[in-house]
Each structure stands twice: as structure tokens, then as C-alpha cells.
Amino acid sequence: MSSTKPDNLIAIIDCNNFYVSCERIFNPKLFNKPTVVLSNNDGCVIARSQEVKELGIPMGIPIFKIQHLVEIHDIQVYSSNFSLYGDISRRIMQIIQAENPSVELYSIDEAFITLNPRYRDVESYCEDLKKRILQWTGIPVSIGVGKTKTLAKIANHLAKKLYPDKGVCILDEINTEELLQRVKVEDIWGVGRQKTKFLKLNGIFSALDLKRANPFWVQKHMTIISRHTVDELNGIPKIELEDDFVSKKTISTSRSFRKNISSLSVLENAVSSHAARAAEKLRTQKGYITSLGVYVSTNRFRDDLPQYRQFITVNFPLAINDTAGIIQAAIQGLHAIFIPELEYKKCGVILNNIIRDNQVQESLFHSRRNKEELLSSSIDTINKAYGLNTIKYAIQGSPESWSIKREKLSQSYTTNWNDLLSINLEP
DNA sequence: TCTGGGGTCCTAGGACCC
DNA sequence: TCTGGGGTCCTAGGACCC
């Protein structure tokens, strides 16, 4: 109801350099030092402090390619610590949810809310919220406000660029066109590399150019999504705020290996661990599946080695959600696509076609896997209480041989009693 | 030597049917 | 040169996002 009022505004609250900011909370010596956080296996840069951005180091670059810069500029390097980031995120979202009826948790570090300017001074509310989040969690955020999600995202981008101290930018009737002129087309939400190339070829360089583009032309030569972007730039909402819990349509778990793997039994360990994790996620949203996908692939960067990528779908006679059944199917799929003597770098399990528990059809010839489901839900309860993989299936093996490398991991300051911050008072 | 993971949505094209 | 036409359903793959 509230979101359909025409005078509603949308705000996006976005944490600045989120993973780096999380590391800084418990490690003040990192303030003002160039700092990066790496992806799994300590592979690529996935978060950069402002100082690192200013050095021109791009997002996603493999760390080994900038090793010389790390040394020259004394860049602080951390493995990703998702249990810490997830916990800090939860605290920030709770602050936002406590004061706003309609919140969309868009990603680990972003939330959309609706604001009604009739009931609130939007600008001072945003400034207060920003201060409160910083004071209560130590995380700096930026807030952008506009009539649509796309405009709010642009306002957020402008807040970081034009008003880094205030951290708030509001696009209104008066300033919108002037500000849109200063935003490059590639900085618009929903415009990636391919669309940027196409738009520039057609003389569209700024957000203002795209706002003024003919929506029919855009729909014909691009996609319906791009047309929605044009409408949203014009203040016509096309992308709804999703403030309810939405079940995932696909669930996937995958990892690259620390080293290349040729052994089938190690691949079985990895695939069954991914299957078990996916099954757990499936049950938290009360889902069932009638098929799943398994894939393996070699290292695509090693053009000196034979390349192989294969995906397979395995179907079940009836819908299941128990770990044993899902592992069994995934292993069966793995055996069908495994080729000996190749060097594998990655594998994964994907659950598609997820249905809700109340849509599951009973089969005439099979009874529901009641025993297996009960067992799985008991294991979930235990693992939730005592930690991931307290109980697991034997085929999951021990992860040493294939699990990820995290050599520069910070402590789990907020989620593990053994990792609480300790302060040494000795001089 | 070393290159992430987990999602969503759209479209093109093939299979199949009448 | 022509080779029927039109619908639906499904899947693979691309583009994009964080």
C-alpha cells in the first residue's frame, strides 16, 4: 500500500567499501592505510579501501598481478572473512528495519527503503540514519534518494563522489537533469560492458542522454530491461521494492580448488560437500527438487593443459530435500561426466526447479522419504547449534585436500568465543 | 606458480505438436 | 528459386548485479 503512493521516494543505503570497513572495526591501525580483501583462495581483489581505489587498482584483479604495488604502497591484504561480514551486515539491517516498515535487503551491504516526504524530512532523516549506523556499528554508509530504484542508485553513486563527507544525495525535480548529465552511462545500474559499448556507438554517453532516449527504440534494439532503465531515469518506477522474504529460484554451491585435482575420490568429497550444503539451504526455505545439476571444469587459464567443462542434469522419480538423496544423485552425476587423467580446478552443484513443500506430489509407487527427511532436519538442528559440519556424511571426507586457501584471515571477532578481541595492556 | 561465488532475468533456438 | 505455418515448452547461454 505505502509503496504505491505516488509521492513516495526510494532510498538506498550502501555500506562504503564494506569488507574493508568490517576489517577496520577491530583493527584500527588499518585506518587510512590502503587495504584490500581477497576472494576465496586468496585469488582476486573483491574489496578496496578508498586509498586503493585512488591507486587505480581495479576490482577483480588477481592479487599476483599487483604484488609489486602491494609492496611499494604497503597495501594491507586480507582473506575474506564472511562470518564476520555476515554478522556485521545483520546488525546494520536490524537498525534499518527497526525504523522502517518497508525494507528490501538487496545484498550483504545494501538495502532499499521507501520514504514518504509528507511524514518526514528526508534529508535530515538520512543524515541521522547514517550517523546512527556509524556510531552503533562502526561502518560508514552512503545514502542515495530518488523517485525510482535506478535514480536512488545514481544518487548513491553521486553521494560518494560529490559529497563524501555528508554521504547523502537526493535527486529532486530541480537538480536531477543537471546531475544526470555528470553521470557516465556505464555507471548506471543495469548498464554493463556490452550495453555501454552499444549505447556509445549510438551517441548516448551520459545518464541524461539515456533518460532522453526514445524508449521504443531502446526496447527494439536492446531489451525490455533497458527500456525499464529509461523509464526509471524518467521517474517512472518499473522495478518494484521486494520487501517480503523471497524464496530462491536456484541454489548453487561451488568452489575452485586450491590446486588441480585429478582424483575421483577427492572430487566425490567436494561434490558431496557442495550437495550437502545446497540441501541445507534448500530446507531453510522449505523447498524440494525433482532434479539437480552437477558440473566439473578444468582451469580455463591454463591453455597448456587439455580443457574440459561438463554439466549434467540428474532427475528423480519424486521430489526430495534430504541430504542423503541429494548427495547420492550428485555423485551419480559426477560419475557420468568424470573423465580420468584431467586436471580439475572447480566443481559445483546447482538446484533448479525448486518447488515449495505444499506443491510436492505423492507418488503411487514410492512413499515419501520420511525417515531421510527426519534425519536431515535433525542434522540441521545440530549443525545450527554446534557449527557447520559438526555432523556430516562420510563421503564428504575431510576438506584438507580440496578446500580453499585463506592465509590472511582475520579473527571471527563477533561470532566465535575463541576469537573475541583481546587487548594487551602491557606497554 | 597464483585468476571468486551466488544470484536474476531475458532471448534465441531447438524439439515437438497439430 | 521455391520447400507450410504457427503455437508452446524447454534449455543453454549471455548479460548483468553484488
Side-chain angles (χ1 to χ4, degrees):
Chain A
M1 172 80 182
S2 66
S3 63
T4 59
K5 282 185 193 160
D7 52 355
N8 264 350
L9 292 173
I10 293 181
I12 183 161
I13 299 124
D14 184 328
C15 302
N16 300 348
N17 316 328
F18 183 55
Y19 300 163
V20 168
S21 298
C22 289
E23 296 293 342
R24 281 177 170 168
I25 298 175
F26 296 97
N27 195 348
K29 75 164 200 226
L30 295 178
F31 278 95
N32 302 318
K33 279 208 184 160
T35 305
V36 297
V37 173
L38 302 180
S39 62
N40 280 331
N41 281 318
D42 294 343
C44 300
V45 171
I46 56 167
R48 303 162 296 162
S49 71
Q50 188 58 33
E51 299 79 13
V52 171
K53 290 178 186 171
E54 281 162 14
L55 289 172
I57 292 173
M59 185 75 161
I61 193 169
I63 188 72
F64 72 86
K65 288 191 177 173
I66 56 161
Q67 203 53 51
H68 58 294
L69 294 174
V70 170
E71 271 138 45
I72 294 169
H73 300 285
D74 191 26
I75 298 176
Q76 308 296 301
V77 178
Y78 284 83
S79 302
S80 39
N81 183 347
F82 286 111
S83 54
L84 173 66
Y85 312 151
D87 187 56
I88 302 297
S89 169
R90 197 177 43 75
R91 292 166 196 233
I92 293 169
M93 298 308 173
Q94 277 172 0
I95 295 171
I96 297 168
Q97 285 174 312
E99 6 186 292
N100 290 283
S102 149
V103 180
E104 173 182 341
L105 307 180
Y106 178 63
S107 74
I108 193 166
D109 68 336
E110 288 171 77
F112 286 103
I113 60 176
T114 55
L115 293 172
N116 191 317
R118 262 197 280 175
Y119 305 128
R120 253 178 183 158
D121 177 342
V122 169
E123 183 149 17
S124 61
Y125 174 72
C126 291
E127 288 174 31
D128 288 349
L129 180 60
K130 176 187 162 63
K131 280 182 202 148
R132 205 150 41 245
I133 293 172
L134 181 63
Q135 189 181 355
W136 292 356
T137 68
I139 299 290
V141 303
S142 300
I143 304 182
V145 182
K147 283 169 86 172
T148 62
K149 282 178 152 182
T150 303
L151 288 171
K153 289 284 279 187
I154 287 178
N156 196 282
H157 171 79
L158 290 166
K160 289 185 171 126
K161 221 170 93 181
L162 303 181
Y163 319 111
D165 296 325
K166 189 173 164 202
V168 174
C169 173
I170 296 168
L171 288 176
D172 57 32
E173 305 290 344
I174 300 151
N175 65 8
T176 297
E177 295 228 328
E178 188 216 319
L179 287 172
L180 288 187
Q181 195 163 16
R182 303 168 64 172
V183 175
K184 287 184 273 183
V185 86
E186 60 263 43
D187 292 331
I188 301 171
W189 191 44
V191 179
R193 287 233 291 277
Q194 298 305 313
K195 288 178 181 173
T196 297
K197 205 159 91 183
F198 178 80
L199 288 169
K200 286 188 171 171
L201 276 174
N202 286 278
I204 294 168
F205 297 95
S206 72
L208 183 60
D209 292 341
L210 188 58
K211 174 180 190 281
R212 290 178 174 168
N214 181 334
F216 299 101
W217 181 88
V218 169
Q219 183 169 350
K220 183 170 170 212
H221 293 97
M222 300 175 79
T223 64
I224 185 74
I225 297 282
S226 302
R227 194 235 157 103
H228 288 163
T229 300
V230 175
D231 288 337
E232 290 237 324
L233 289 171
N234 283 286
I236 305 161
K238 285 289 155 81
I239 308 171
E240 292 289 312
L241 194 102
E242 311 270 0
D243 52 1
D244 291 329
F245 172 79
V246 181
S247 296
K248 299 262 180 277
K249 293 170 181 163
T250 66
I251 291 173
S252 72
T253 58
S254 65
R255 288 286 180 283
S256 299
F257 306 127
R258 183 195 294 246
K259 291 184 284 191
N260 289 340
I261 302 277
S262 297
S263 145
L264 177 59
S265 72
V266 176
L267 280 172
E268 286 176 345
N269 293 161
V271 164
S272 43
S273 296
H274 295 327
R277 180 79 190 107
E280 221 175 280
K281 292 191 212 168
L282 180 66
R283 289 190 294 271
T284 64
Q285 65 175 55
K286 299 194 193 311
Y288 281 75
I289 49 167
T290 54
S291 71
L292 60 72
V294 185
Y295 67 90
V296 293
S297 76
T298 51
N299 186 342
R300 67 187 205 277
F301 297 103
R302 290 292 296 271
D303 37 20
D304 55 322
L305 292 176
Q307 292 291 310
Y308 178 63
R309 293 170 66 184
Q310 193 58 53
F311 176 88
I312 191 172
T313 301
V314 183
N315 296 300
F316 319 130
L318 73 166
I320 66 169
N321 77 356
D322 64 282
T323 298
I326 288 174
I327 287 182
Q328 194 191 2
I331 292 295
Q332 189 192 327
L334 171 65
H335 287 175
I337 57 177
F338 175 78
I339 296 179
E341 284 163 29
L342 286 173
E343 307 258 341
Y344 294 94
K345 182 63 178 172
K346 186 174 180 180
C347 69
V349 172
I350 298 179
L351 310 184
N352 270 319
N353 305 320
I354 298 170
I355 52 175
R356 279 297 304 247
D357 50 356
N358 56 18
Q359 299 169 311
V360 173
Q361 292 189 4
E362 298 283 340
S363 160
L364 269 177
F365 307 107
H366 304 80
S367 61
R368 272 283 278 278
R369 299 166 59 90
N370 289 324
K371 257 165 57 185
E372 289 85 351
E373 288 182 20
L374 261 169
L375 177 59
S376 287
S377 81
S378 306
I379 293 176
D380 288 346
T381 308
I382 293 167
N383 285 343
K384 208 176 163 195
Y386 296 98
L388 208 62
N389 287 332
T390 300
I391 294 190
K392 62 183 179 182
Y393 284 80
I395 194 168
Q396 293 178 240
S398 66
E400 284 82 33
S401 48
W402 58 273
S403 70
I404 55 170
K405 183 170 83 181
R406 293 201 291 181
E407 287 176 351
K408 295 158 186 200
L409 186 62
S410 55
Q411 294 161 245
S412 292
Y413 299 101
T414 62
T415 55
N416 187 333
W417 289 112
N418 300 318
D419 279 359
L420 290 180
L421 185 65
S422 63
I423 296 170
N424 191 348
L425 294 175
E426 302 282 323

